Amino acid sequence: MLHSDPLEMLADAVGSVTFGWADTGVFYARFSRCLSAKTGEAFAARLRSTARIGMRFKYFADARALESYDLTARSAFVRVVGEHRRLFEQIHILAWRDGEVSRAFVEALGEPVCVTRDSFEFEAKLMSAAPRARATLAAKPESPHRTRWPLRR
C-alpha cells in the first residue's frame, strides 16, 4: 500500500530532506541545513509523482532545521503545488526561526496554507491529522508535557 512505504531521504554535501507518508493521507517532509537546487528539484519530482496518483492529501513541511535554500528549489516546490493544488487539502509549514516566509511565497501556494514558527502548534496539527505519525517518524518525546521529536538518522 502506498501509505506504508518507508520514509525516503535525499541528501547532498550541504543538506537533506526526509519525506514520505506520516499516516494515511498525510505527506510529511523535514528539511535540514541547506536545501540545494539539486536536492530541492529531486524532492519536487518525488512530490509530483505522489500528486500524480490523484489522491487528495495533507502536506506538512518541517523546516525548523533549515538554514537556507536555493530559490530554484523553492520554485520547483511552488510549481508542483500550482500544478496539483486541488490535491493538497492543506499545507502546513513550520518555518525556521531566522527565515523569512514571504507573502508572495504563501500566496503562490494558494489556500489553505498555515505557516508557523511554533513547533508545538505544528506538531499538534500533525498529530491531529496523522495519529500514527509519531511511530512513522521514529518519534521520541523529550517529556510527557512537551512533545518534540526529531527524526532518527
Side-chain angles (χ1 to χ4, degrees), residues 27-101:
F27 196 83
Y28 172 86
R30 180 175 177 105
F31 301 90
S32 298
R33 296 180 30 225
C34 177
L35 184 61
S36 67
K38 183 178 179 181
T39 302
E41 288 178 328
F43 169 70
R46 296 286 210 311
L47 186 58
R48 181 176 283 113
S49 294
T50 298
R52 283 187 178 148
I53 293 167
M55 178 182 64
R56 294 191 61 173
F57 60 95
K58 296 175 178 119
Y59 176 80
F60 285 80
D62 182 344
R64 79 181 99 192
L66 193 63
E67 298 166 5
S68 66
Y69 60 85
D70 187 290
L71 289 177
T72 303
R74 184 180 80 172
S75 296
F77 171 73
V78 170
R79 278 192 306 277
V80 171
V81 172
E83 291 166 10
H84 302 282
R85 187 59 179 103
R86 65 181 171 65
L87 299 176
F88 287 81
E89 282 182 44
Q90 302 169 2
I91 297 175
H92 296 271
I93 299 171
L94 176 58
W96 76 91
R97 186 180 30 192
D98 299 327
E100 282 298 316
V101 179

Side-chain angles (χ1 to χ4, degrees), residues 77-141:
F77 171 73
V78 170
R79 278 192 306 277
V80 171
V81 172
E83 291 166 10
H84 302 282
R85 187 59 179 103
R86 65 181 171 65
L87 299 176
F88 287 81
E89 282 182 44
Q90 302 169 2
I91 297 175
H92 296 271
I93 299 171
L94 176 58
W96 76 91
R97 186 180 30 192
D98 299 327
E100 282 298 316
V101 179
S102 74
R103 185 180 190 143
F105 173 68
V106 173
E107 288 175 357
L109 295 177
E111 292 292 330
V113 175
C114 175
V115 179
T116 184
R117 285 190 174 78
D118 183 336
S119 61
F120 298 112
E121 175 189 351
F122 177 83
E123 290 171 8
K125 287 180 180 181
L126 176 59
M127 291 302 123
S128 176
R132 293 185 295 244
R134 190 173 312 288
T136 304
L137 304 175
K140 281 190 162 182

